[in-house]
Amino acid sequence: MSALPLNALRVFVTAARHASFKDAAGELCVTPGAVSRQVQGLEAHLGVPLFERRHRAIELTQLGQLFLAQVAPALAAIEQAGERVRGLARGSVRVDATPTFALHWLIPRLAEFRAEHPQIEVRLGTSQGPIVKSGAVDLHIRRDPAHFAGLAGEPFMREHAALVCSPRFPGRSGWRTPADLLAVPLVRMRSRPDLWPKWFAAAGLGEAPAAEFIEFDNTILAIQAAVEGLGVALVPRLFVDGLLLGGALVEVPLAAPFASGAYYLIGEGEPGEAARVFAGWLRRRAADA
């Protein structure tokens, strides 16, 4: 007997999964007639019926069920092997991250990845809010599970928020208690309304004491406002480590940084080899941070 036709096997598995030639045709971007002909050709090759045809419906025969149980895992393994080979040949990983994470954490470390893996190109894009599933991205990086678009996320780094300000900020040497901050401008981000209420509550000041806020759209602007001396900011510490080290910001020692979330890796499907390598590096680098 000649070898089984791989394209007909793929069509058969798709039709069995949908229990419909029409729906399988929609997924495969062909006509229902083309699906039917592929299945008929496979049945002729095997010499057994795989489906029972009914009015506007199909159902696997007993032999069809047995064949599907054997073929589907094997076909999936072939497709995964192809993805890995394509990933190695392509030598690139497509990453979508939030702008703040990309600017303040990922980009400063990408030179390390390039030095360790010069054969892999990182194609970095940024977006905010819910993930838009397009198949054009290997790995998404998000903080808010509400933005995962139904995909599974794996946490790879914890986030802690800290108080920071410019070393030139007037009067900071006189701060003794958390309540002293209520007398100075506080920098707040519309994108992270949760941070100040959590800090106030942890400091024993209630969730919303009277305070003077200067509000900005996002963390990038809030950090720059703190650098310019506009007020005290409460921001994820992982985004300001370099600025603290360089002296552009100082940490306000009125409270220890508190846990404020986590960052997740989210893939749209089975990752290629380049994406696996990048994800492994990201986990190790986050553990060292």
Side-chain angles (χ1 to χ4, degrees), residues 160-169 172 175 181 184-189 196 199 219 221-245 247-257:
H160 293 79
L163 294 169
V164 297
C165 70
S166 166
R168 306 182 307 276
F169 196 87
R172 70 183 183 87
W175 298 336
L181 288 188
V184 302
L186 305 179
V187 176
R188 178 169 63 188
M189 300 96 74
W196 276 113
W199 188 86
T219 307
L221 297 180
I223 291 172
Q224 189 60 36
V227 169
E228 298 299 332
L230 296 181
V232 175
L234 180 61
V235 296
R237 199 183 191 284
L238 62 96
F239 297 150
V240 294
D241 280 339
L243 295 172
L244 291 169
L245 186 63
L249 289 173
V250 294
E251 197 162 345
V252 178
L254 294 179

Side-chain angles (χ1 to χ4, degrees), residues 34 101 107 111 141 161 194 199 238 252 268 280:
F101 186 89
I107 290 176
I141 298 174
D194 58 310
W199 188 86
L238 62 96
V252 178
E268 290 193 28

